[in-house]
Amino acid sequence: MKYRKKKHIITAQRENEQAYLKEFSEGTWTLQNPLVKLNPYMLAPLTAMVLFRTGVPAEVTVTVSGRETAGNVVHTFPAQCEHILPVYGLYADTANRVLLTLSTGERSEMLIQTGPMNERVPQPTRCETDPVYMGDQMMWLTAAVRSKPVAVDYRGDIRWYSDANLNFALKRLPNGHLLIGTERLTGLPYYTTGLYEMAVSGKVFREYRLPGGYHHDQFEMEDGNILVLTQDADAPTVEDVCVLIHKDTGEILKRWDYKSVLPQDRGKSGSWDDRDWFHNNSIWYEKDTNSLTISGRHQDAVINLDYDTGALNWVLGDPDEWPEDFVSQYFLKPEGEPFGYQYEQHGVIYTPNGDLMLFDNGHYRSKYPEKYQKAADSYSRGVRYRIDHKNHKVRQVWEYGRERGSDFFSPYISNVEYYGEGRYLVHSGGIAYIDGKPSEELGSMALMGRDKDKLTLNSITCELVDGQIVYELEVPANCYRARKLPLYYAGETAELGEGQLLGTLGITEEFETEIPAEAAGEQLPEGCQASVTEEEDRIRFNAKFEKGELVMLLLTEGSGNVHRYYISTSATSFKAMCVGTFQKSDSREIDKFISKEGLHGEMKVQVIRDGILYETGITVTGE
């Protein structure tokens, strides 16, 4: 039975930062001989920290040389005598030429050698754009299948990536920091502890944790508080709750449960099941109407809720298979031509004039199984709708993607972005082929199927200006979302100090009934490959069991008080898997995560397996 103690990334980063600051304070580091620390925060291998002192205050301009001049990454830092400079935009497996230029006129050039690229970072196969148009912007892609989070320049060269499975939506906050899902899995297929607020350097300023975990999307309000998609931790359903959390504490301030406003068994998409009945994949606060607009993939529905009361205002979607009285009261009525409903949509956003934009995946394109479209006959599109709130009507005013047919068909994930009137990004991130033909399975699921060796993945990101393509990127992976952002934000400097662990994982549900078990007097068989990882705020038990075995994890306090946790070994299937990076190669492998909240002192770890009590020889500690 293996055991290891794992530091939280915030703790590990604090120790690493203190170590390089100590080295800096004790050395004589100059412009010509600076201290260089590659990947200083252990999450971003193509970043570095450069430290040196000057005799007088001076601004410093850092230039990371590109493969051609247009690829240079340039940022100027304010005048100081002590310079601690985050460096972004390095190339992998390269001696990167970095130029430091002081406002006094002094210059220095150095080489920063990086290591080889992580093999799971997708290498673009095509990138067509104008370097003048892109400027210092990078295209950021978040991971879904065969991918890691990555940022590429106008050439398609990778200038940033993370080794960690940071997941779902990546957004830049007004303070310049990034907000993205953590890599800390809480349950399959992709639920994680919450969100990291972090720098491009990888430095984590805050982790926001939630009892029900995080998935898909988040939205920062004007006051800095954050809307986060989650679920009830112990409920039989998933992906049907949104919460508002406090920016400084992580405390949950407000909660919306869609089960209170929608029937759960009507309007089913082709991917519906009774557990994942709604599949909420995006959230947007609309200030003008003080409302939340929410995308539910498994009802082919975009819904709008009153922010204050949670009451349902309207529904946009195909009204087939919904109750007639519900349709007449809530569904927006289409007007004008052309018009098309969206199916299994993603990425709802608003334009400044109040229009609604989204990515219409077009999966199945019907409520009736006998009319489901085959992948080869399908299309996906970015679409823009104009809503007449007074008359409860909707009009389609723009679309792109239908004309590209199945080559642009993404049955899951993807998004759109608005960069100005007539200037839109459309990201079709989940394209998949089996033996050269459009796959009927999602790429994330086909990867685990019998035809996985015949699977080809693609992601197409394009940007249009007045209907003309000015940018197109192809990546041989499935990528959840795309977003165009510069590496540096205006006025960026190094921000030092310890990060914060906010919010709570909650108390893990216990099994109240004592299960009779015969003591084996020995450890679990080696075939279980069992291990315990103790983190600062939780305990992870990992092992392999055959399907149907009765398994329970016991944590026994010195007082004899026993905490019992049921471990399901039943076969689990998913009809949606928007991020496949957490998939297990062996379906027998399970993870059980136990929050330390409510646990105290030292506890002995034991396992019951089919009526036999096994020792582990491992002791863990509560809060």
Side-chain angles (χ1 to χ4, degrees), residues 409-595:
F409 174 57
S410 173
Y412 75 132
I413 58 180
S414 312
N415 70 300
V416 294
E417 292 292 327
Y418 175 92
Y419 293 132
E421 201 54 43
R423 188 184 299 268
Y424 313 130
L425 177 144
V426 184
H427 168 68
S428 186
I431 303 166
Y433 301 92
I434 298 290
D435 212 11
K437 299 177 181 179
S439 173
E440 297 298 333
E441 287 188 294
L442 307 185
S444 56
M445 296 179 177
L447 187 66
M448 303 300 291
R450 62 184 180 183
D451 293 326
K452 63 183 178 181
D453 293 337
K454 302 176 182 178
L455 175 66
T456 302
L457 301 176
N458 199 18
S459 171
I460 300 175
T461 306
C462 50
E463 190 172 332
L464 302 101
V465 175
D466 297 329
Q468 301 298 311
I469 295 177
V470 296
Y471 177 94
E472 187 153 326
L473 173 73
E474 290 195 52
V475 174
N478 280 179
C479 301
Y480 177 69
R481 283 190 186 177
R483 176 165 278 110
K484 190 171 66 173
L485 297 169
L487 288 168
Y488 289 99
Y489 61 86
E492 180 167 1
T493 59
E495 297 177 70
L496 306 174
E498 185 175 359
Q500 296 176 288
L501 196 56
L502 302 177
T504 174
L505 297 176
I507 296 176
T508 305
E509 183 180 27
E510 297 187 28
F511 194 82
E512 296 181 358
T513 305
E514 182 177 354
I515 302 298
E518 180 181 347
E522 58 186 37
Q523 293 195 7
L524 277 168
E526 284 188 16
C528 293
Q529 300 178 30
S531 67
V532 170
T533 302
E534 185 172 1
E535 301 179 35
E536 293 175 28
D537 58 353
R538 64 179 189 167
I539 299 153
R540 176 196 179 205
F541 174 71
N542 176 268
K544 290 181 180 179
F545 297 106
E546 298 301 325
K547 298 302 178 187
E549 287 188 293
L550 179 61
V551 180
M552 186 170 293
L553 182 69
L554 309 181
L555 300 180
T556 304
E557 298 176 358
S559 64
N561 184 38
V562 181
H563 302 273
R564 301 176 179 85
Y565 303 95
Y566 172 72
I567 297 176
S568 175
T569 60
S570 59
T572 303
S573 62
F574 304 100
K575 286 196 172 182
M577 194 181 296
C578 292
V579 170
T581 54
F582 298 104
Q583 291 184 54
K584 308 291 188 182
S585 58
D586 188 333
S587 62
R588 298 173 303 160
E589 183 182 352
I590 60 92
D591 281 312
K592 182 68 177 182
F593 296 95
I594 310 296
S595 168

